[in-house]
Amino acid sequence: MEQFKFHVGLNVSNVERTTEFYQRLFGQEPVKVEKGYSKFELENPGLVISFIESNNASPSFGHMGVRVNSSEELSQKKKELESLMKIELEEKNTSCCFAVQDKFWVKDPDGYEWEVYHFLKDDDQMGSRQDASEKKNELVGCC
């Protein structure tokens, strides 16, 4: 049986700038690039993500994330990315979406948020980014 892949299509304001960001985030080249369009196909995690240049780019749906398998993987990914892009926020042992996680956040050129996280344990609290983000005068729900 073939494994399915999750697909996301996002409207973006500048496909070239967005493609460059995701090359850095994913550590690989897109599988397709056309005028106003690019697409990445990831094996791990199984994801097909495409970007369509549009005047209607709007990151208003929440966020996306990549779950890694260990604290070591999380540290390695952060180390790889922090020289390539801004780490917006880092959280340790934080309660978010009824789970305790270590994570960091990045934003693509249109403001779409990505969390890179390591799941630690289940939690009975929804949690928020309030405590960590108050330092930046910003209050954002975790999920």
Side-chain angles (χ1 to χ4, degrees):
M1 181 177 191
E2 191 174 326
Q3 180 184 8
F4 73 90
K5 290 185 179 179
F6 184 70
H7 175 254
V8 176
L10 299 176
N11 291 337
V12 299
S13 60
N14 182 304
V15 77
E16 290 85 12
R17 190 175 63 199
T18 297
T19 300
E20 182 179 311
F21 173 88
Y22 284 95
Q23 284 173 312
R24 292 174 177 170
L25 181 64
F26 298 146
Q28 71 180 57
E29 298 291 317
V31 296
K32 188 172 201 170
V33 177
E34 301 289 342
K35 182 175 176 20
Y37 178 86
S38 69
K39 178 175 76 173
F40 291 82
E41 291 194 23
L42 308 177
E43 293 302 318
N44 185 13
L47 172 67
V48 177
I49 187 166
S50 57
F51 305 99
I52 305 98
E53 197 161 279
S54 169
N55 293 330
N56 297 320
S58 175
S60 62
F61 68 90
H63 71 276
M64 296 169 279
V66 176
R67 180 170 143 176
V68 298
N69 295 316
S70 69
S71 295
E72 292 78 20
E73 268 187 87
L74 184 66
S75 294
Q76 181 60 37
K77 191 66 176 172
K78 181 177 177 277
K79 186 176 181 179
E80 290 170 14
L81 292 177
E82 64 190 347
S83 65
L84 301 171
M85 63 186 65
K86 180 181 178 189
I87 304 298
E88 299 288 333
L89 178 66
E90 183 175 9
E91 299 175 278
K92 298 283 186 185
N93 203 37
T94 189
S95 179
C96 181
C97 299
F98 300 97
V100 177
Q101 307 161 351
D102 288 339
K103 65 175 78 181
F104 65 89
W105 296 85
V106 295
K107 287 183 184 176
D108 83 356
D110 285 291
Y112 290 109
E113 290 184 304
W114 281 84
E115 65 174 328
V116 181
Y117 70 98
H118 175 233
F119 172 84
L120 300 173
K121 64 182 180 179
D122 285 318
D123 193 20
D124 61 357
Q125 300 294 312
M126 176 63 167
S128 74
R129 283 190 262 173
Q130 181 175 359
D131 294 335
S133 60
E134 277 180 343
K135 298 171 190 161
K136 296 183 178 190
N137 298 318
E138 175 183 355
L139 176 60
V140 182
C142 75
C143 297

